[in-house]
Every structure is written in structure tokens, then in C-alpha cells.
Amino acid sequence: MKEQDCAPLLGGKFPTVEVETTLGKKMLPGDYAGKWFVLFSHPGDFTPVCTTEFVEFQRRSEEFTALNTELIGLSLDDVFAHMKWIEWIRDNFNVLITFPIIADQLGKVALRLGMISPELGSSTVRTVYIIDPQGTIQLMMNYPPVVGRNIEEILRVVRALQVAAEFKVATPVDWPQNAYLGDKVIIPPPRNVMAVEKRLEEAKQGDIQCLDWWFCYKSLEK
């Protein structure tokens, strides 16, 4: 199998694709260089679950913008169906979709990105890609057609990925509302004996907190 025929992998580069959208032609990921973007596929226009997702993505769009993150939708419908659906959402929900929606009638982009599961039909499933400003795939999620996505979780993951990238840390389960650590972040474990000694000294000085030398955490302010 050729490399270009394989679905991209987490931590790899997002493949270069030219797409037609409701806002004109775009080149991914090049047109979003320097920004994060969330690319999400949906099974089809004029379907109830997808409609609720698009309304909520748009309603929370300013929060994504504040995180230097753009939104891009995709389905196998053509651009005219997308535009008509946008009108329908505007007229019935009083919400105007302002982010681009990719028209992928032949399914070439969806197939390249692993967004179609033959076991679930010929439409795109609810795939989510989160891409960083360097065009690297930082997250991949797949939901079945019958379950709508949690937009708050997608926002949470974008925030967590950005914090991890900026501060070279990891985030615990349910961050920033972890039951034990709250909004504190986890420091990567030391890789050698000398680093262990330094880590324990930092803990003595109160710069960080440790349960053990391999389990240390801190507030982002420190």
C-alpha cells in the first residue's frame, strides 16, 4: 500500500489536500499555517444530529477563535447542499454558520483521512482531527452517526494540547477539573538518576509537588 493511500496517524503531518468549501477553495493545512484547526466530518446535511452539532460549533466559535483555532466541517454533500443547509439553520435556529464546510462529493478527502467506515455505511462518520500550527495531527476521534459530539470536550482538548505544547507538561484526567490535582499540570517523569535528584530538590524548595519522584505536578504559574 502506498504511503499516500494510508490514513494519517497521530503525531504525523496532516496530508496536503486542496478542497472546495462554502468559502471557496482552500489548501490544507497550508492555509492554516500558524493556527490550530479542528476538522470534523458529519454524515450528511439536513440531518438532525449534524444540525445540532453545527449550531453548537457556531455558538462556541468565539471560544475557538480565542484559542487561535479555526473550524472546518466536511461531508460528502456538494457545496450547494451545504449552502442551502446553512440557510435552513439560519432561518430555523437564528444561527449563521461562518466557518467553511468542505464539499467532498466523490469522497476522496474523506477516504484519505479515514472518515468513512464501510461497516457503518457509505457516509462519513463523525471524525475529529485537531491540527497544530505546524500541520501536525495532535488528536483524532471517531464518533458513530448516532452519537453527537461534545463540543465542550473538543474545546477542553484544544486547551489541554496548547498548554502541553507551551509548557512541556501533561494534563491529568478531566483537566482542568481533576478530582485530585484540580487545574494543576503533570511534569514529565525524569529520565535519569541525576534528574531524579534535581526533581526531589525542586520539591523540597516548594517549586513543585510530588507524590513520588515519577509523579510530580505544579500550577501553571510556577
Side-chain angles (χ1 to χ4, degrees), residues 114-189:
M115 293 174 162
I116 297 176
S117 176
E119 290 79 5
L120 297 176
S122 58
S123 297
T124 44
V125 296
R126 302 185 197 281
T127 296
V128 179
Y129 279 95
I130 298 180
I131 314 300
D132 71 14
Q134 289 73 48
T136 302
I137 301 169
Q138 294 292 346
L139 179 136
M140 301 163 62
M141 290 190 288
N142 285 300
Y143 292 71
V146 296
V147 178
R149 284 164 281 218
N150 186 319
I151 309 307
E152 178 59 37
E153 169 62 7
I154 296 173
L155 276 163
R156 186 192 77 86
V157 173
V158 171
R159 295 186 188 105
L161 287 168
Q162 292 183 354
V163 164
E166 180 178 357
F167 296 97
K168 310 303 180 193
V169 295
T171 57
V173 63
D174 294 333
W175 183 88
Q177 297 177 330
N178 176 265
Y180 183 81
L181 301 181
D183 64 353
K184 294 181 175 64
V185 294
I186 294 173
I187 306 168

Side-chain angles (χ1 to χ4, degrees), residues 8-206:
L9 299 175
L10 190 67
K13 290 296 183 180
F14 190 86
T16 299
V17 291
E18 184 178 21
V19 294
E20 181 182 8
T21 83
T22 50
L23 297 181
K25 290 187 181 297
K26 292 188 178 293
M27 186 68 73
L28 304 180
D31 287 350
Y32 293 87
K35 291 189 175 184
W36 293 72
F37 69 88
V38 177
L39 172 63
F40 56 98
S41 59
H42 61 285
D45 300 347
F46 297 101
T47 54
V49 177
C50 300
T51 300
T52 62
E53 288 184 320
F54 270 64
V55 168
E56 188 63 10
F57 268 121
Q58 182 61 50
R59 195 178 72 82
R60 307 293 295 273
S61 61
E62 291 186 1
E63 294 176 67
F64 284 101
T65 300
L67 294 170
N68 190 36
T69 302
E70 300 291 334
L71 298 170
I72 315 169
L74 178 150
S75 81
L76 304 187
D77 298 283
D78 63 36
V79 72
F80 301 107
H82 287 339
M83 292 191 295
K84 189 63 180 178
W85 187 37
I86 289 173
E87 291 179 359
W88 191 95
I89 292 174
R90 178 199 63 197
D91 294 343
N92 289 273
F93 285 87
N94 197 31
V95 170
L96 179 62
I97 304 300
T98 59
F99 53 82
I101 309 174
I102 295 170
D104 187 29
Q105 303 97 299
L106 299 180
K108 291 182 178 180
V109 177
L111 286 171
R112 179 69 182 86
L113 298 177
M115 293 174 162
I116 297 176
S117 176
E119 290 79 5
L120 297 176
S122 58
S123 297
T124 44
V125 296
R126 302 185 197 281
T127 296
V128 179
Y129 279 95
I130 298 180
I131 314 300
D132 71 14
Q134 289 73 48
T136 302
I137 301 169
Q138 294 292 346
L139 179 136
M140 301 163 62
M141 290 190 288
N142 285 300
Y143 292 71
V146 296
V147 178
R149 284 164 281 218
N150 186 319
I151 309 307
E152 178 59 37
E153 169 62 7
I154 296 173
L155 276 163
R156 186 192 77 86
V157 173
V158 171
R159 295 186 188 105
L161 287 168
Q162 292 183 354
V163 164
E166 180 178 357
F167 296 97
K168 310 303 180 193
V169 295
T171 57
V173 63
D174 294 333
W175 183 88
Q177 297 177 330
N178 176 265
Y180 183 81
L181 301 181
D183 64 353
K184 294 181 175 64
V185 294
I186 294 173
I187 306 168
R191 308 286 298 193
N192 54 59
V193 172
M194 295 77 74
V196 169
E197 294 176 354
K198 180 180 179 182
R199 180 67 51 83
L200 294 176
E201 183 61 31
E202 290 174 332
K204 287 180 182 179
Q205 295 175 357

